[in-house]
Amino acid sequence: MKPTLIFLALASMAGLSAAAEIAQPHAAGIEAKNYLWNKPNKTLTRALKQKADPEKGKIAYEECRGCHKADASGRPDAGYPQLAGQHTEVLIKQMLDTRSGRRDNPRMHPFIAADAIPTRSIPDVAAYLHGLPVPDTNHKGDGKNLDHGKALYDKDCGKCHGAAGEGNGKEFHPKVASQHYPYLYRESMDIRDGQRRNADTKMVKILKSYSDEDVAAVSDYMSRLPPVM
Amino acid sequence: MRHRSLQAIAGLTLFAGGIAFSAAAETVKGDPAKAVPLVERLCMACHGQDGNSLIPSFPKLAGQHPEYLLHEMQEYKTKHRDNEMMSPVVLELSATDMANLAVYFAAQKPVPGTPSEPGLLALGKKIYLDGNSESGLPSCDGCHEENGKGSARFPRIAGQNPEYTMEQFHLYATGKRKFGKKVMVTVAERITEQEAKAVAEYIASMP
């Protein structure tokens, strides 16, 4: 049993596995030449068409609760987004983009990989999540720059994300109302800096001109928009 | 990963290959009375007559889900799980024996353990209910339920012997229990030694 002891000594520092380095597959995204953020693909088209069963989705979702919580309210400290009430189309696209490696999320990847959840369950989960009530207990920003945030939002973001932050499922525009502030802030920064590799290029162009303070103000404003079903 | 011949006897779809999502879990069909002589001859010495193993490195089987018990016996038979003490035992068991044993142990009343390091319980509870945001360790309650009783999809872990729990974490993390569900392998890869010890103590204390 000697090797085990050596292993234990090493493992006491980091995760139990020597290979705790988390990796996920990588698919071409925004950095690629002919990138189109909403380019149709077979898996997505089929998933969108599939007749979804929220009851089955509830069971499939059990595996996600450890991070996104049973009520799908997420964990703001961890950057786990609220999923309750999000549009089914958005949920499906984000799950598939994460699985294929177009959206980087190594923490979540092993749980959305094909060996963890069958592709046919993805629309079921989306239907289940879409039907959950949106909690208004989400984390909000410091509230100091809301007028500026509102001005930016109405000018630059509302045309896609909706005047009330309701988004648009058919267009894959996420609902942003009452999402966690830390998540909105980080996503917006990642979108601006090209790190969210499945983002809409039109939005990226707009956000490129934003300072960190602008991003904080608009994220705070979005987090305070009341829940929309 | 699939063993159709064995599956046939018990309608075991839940734990075969990728996780299946049947809303109504299929239950194992077996006769607990027929298991009694086998338990006394083959299992009792290590797992106790009522499945509440007293030896810390041997798992408790009492109250475990029958689907899981049956599936794990099959795993030893196919050498997907290999253990010098446990593997030889299953060799002489037929498919019917295994189904009978599964329903027998599932019906036994589980006895909670006594934690050996109560000082770790607070951290253990935190890991169990919140996971670790920094390392991306999901909370355990998400899958094993808040009370540790699991479901037809996820094994019961409440009351389990801490030594056995630790051993399983090491087996998952080092790729030696690699035919199990990958999600649990990921959990074991992300948990630290200290967190694992703490959560094992907390699990042991659960009724």
Side-chain angles (χ1 to χ4, degrees):
Chain A
M1 288 306 259
K2 282 251 169 58
T4 322
L5 286 177
I6 297 170
F7 163 74
L8 287 181
L10 287 172
S12 61
M13 301 299 293
L16 279 183
S17 165
E21 184 79 8
I22 17 188
Q24 72 157 87
H26 182 94
I30 204 153
E31 72 288 350
K33 245 199 178 134
N34 39 19
Y35 169 73
L36 181 59
W37 73 276
N38 58 353
K39 192 171 164 199
N41 69 71
K42 246 202 247 147
T43 324
L44 178 62
T45 313
R46 201 179 304 142
L48 291 169
K49 271 201 206 132
Q50 187 185 312
K51 200 169 167 292
D53 180 346
E55 279 306 308
K56 282 191 184 148
K58 182 179 183 182
I59 295 169
Y61 179 71
E62 285 170 357
E63 219 166 78
C64 324
R65 298 186 304 192
C67 290
H68 293 285
K69 293 235 185 134
D71 61 357
S73 61
R75 287 182 193 269
D77 60 320
Y80 304 153
Q82 182 163 291
L83 304 174
Q86 185 57 272
H87 298 287
T88 47
E89 295 88 346
V90 170
L91 292 165
I92 291 173
K93 178 176 189 286
Q94 297 308 324
M95 286 188 254
L96 291 175
D97 280 356
T98 304
R99 179 189 272 188
S100 70
R102 227 167 154 234
R103 178 171 176 190
D104 302 303
N105 188 353
R107 284 178 173 198
M108 170 163 138
H109 193 270
F111 301 91
I112 196 74
D115 59 17
I117 173 169
T119 308
R120 76 186 129 74
S121 297
I122 284 180
D124 295 342
V125 173
Y128 170 67
L129 292 171
H130 176 66
L132 293 177
V134 188
D136 62 357
T137 48
N138 65 311
H139 270 219
K140 299 167 176 89
D142 62 14
K144 287 189 182 140
N145 222 348
L146 289 176
D147 291 343
H148 182 51
K150 178 173 166 46
L152 292 173
Y153 186 85
D154 290 345
K155 175 166 69 74
D156 289 339
C157 322
K159 58 179 166 277
C160 291
H161 291 287
E166 73 275 18
N168 181 334
K170 294 237 150 43
E171 300 292 328
F172 301 107
H173 294 159
K175 187 182 282 186
V176 288
S178 72
Q179 178 59 275
H180 296 297
Y181 167 78
Y183 176 75
L184 290 169
Y185 178 76
R186 209 203 35 228
E187 289 308 302
S188 301
M189 295 295 275
D190 281 356
I191 291 166
R192 185 188 75 179
D193 302 336
Q195 305 286 341
R196 177 149 160 177
R197 298 188 302 103
N198 66 344
D200 185 339
T201 31
K202 285 203 214 88
M203 168 173 63
V204 178
K205 225 180 243 154
I206 298 169
L207 272 160
K208 280 247 187 293
S209 66
Y210 276 42
S211 67
D212 293 5
E213 290 72 29
D214 292 337
V215 172
V218 76
S219 300
D220 196 356
Y221 177 73
M222 293 189 284
S223 72
R224 283 162 196 273
L225 289 167
V228 261
M229 270 316 278
Chain B
M1 276 251 257
R2 288 174 187 268
H3 323 289
R4 298 217 173 267
S5 54
L6 291 173
Q7 264 178 51
I9 51 116
L12 186 86
T13 56
L14 272 167
F15 282 92
I19 298 176
F21 299 102
S22 67
E26 295 185 54
T27 44
V28 178
K29 289 189 187 68
D31 182 351
K34 289 207 177 113
V36 174
L38 286 170
V39 173
E40 286 171 354
R41 187 165 60 86
L42 292 172
C43 320
M44 204 171 89
C46 295
H47 293 290
Q49 172 125 38
D50 66 350
N52 285 293
S53 321
L54 294 172
I55 303 150
S57 56
F58 297 170
K60 291 184 182 174
L61 309 176
Q64 184 58 273
H65 298 275
E67 298 86 353
Y68 175 77
L69 289 171
L70 177 59
H71 182 260
E72 296 312 298
M73 284 184 251
Q74 292 167 348
E75 291 289 273
Y76 290 110
K77 206 152 195 170
T78 54
K79 296 265 179 244
H80 280 175
R81 273 179 89 171
D82 199 6
N83 176 275
E84 54 188 5
M85 277 172 287
M86 186 57 213
S87 301
V89 185
V90 293
L91 292 179
E92 64 169 286
L93 299 178
S94 70
T96 318
D97 291 341
M98 292 196 286
N100 291 342
L101 286 160
V103 289
Y104 172 87
F105 283 114
Q108 303 303 309
K109 201 173 173 323
V111 178
T114 4
S116 46
E117 290 188 59
L120 284 173
L121 286 177
L123 173 63
K125 184 174 182 183
K126 192 173 162 21
I127 295 297
Y128 194 90
L129 297 176
D130 291 330
N132 181 332
S133 305
E134 263 156 53
S135 61
L137 175 72
S139 64
C140 319
D141 65 341
C143 293
H144 295 284
E145 302 293 340
E146 198 173 333
N147 57 17
K149 294 199 168 70
S151 63
R153 283 180 74 202
F154 304 109
R156 174 195 173 92
I157 53 176
Q160 192 52 279
N161 291 325
E163 240 178 71
Y164 170 76
T165 301
M166 284 304 287
E167 175 66 9
Q168 298 314 303
F169 274 126
H170 291 138
L171 293 175
Y172 282 125
T174 53
K176 295 194 182 104
R177 193 173 165 181
K178 64 178 174 207
F179 295 98
K181 293 286 162 301
K182 292 282 184 309
V183 288
M184 194 54 214
V185 174
T186 302
V187 167
E189 281 170 356
R190 289 182 188 179
I191 202 165
T192 67
E193 185 73 13
Q194 180 71 359
E195 288 169 340
K197 267 196 194 133
V199 84
E201 289 289 330
Y202 179 68
I203 291 170
S205 76
M206 295 169 104

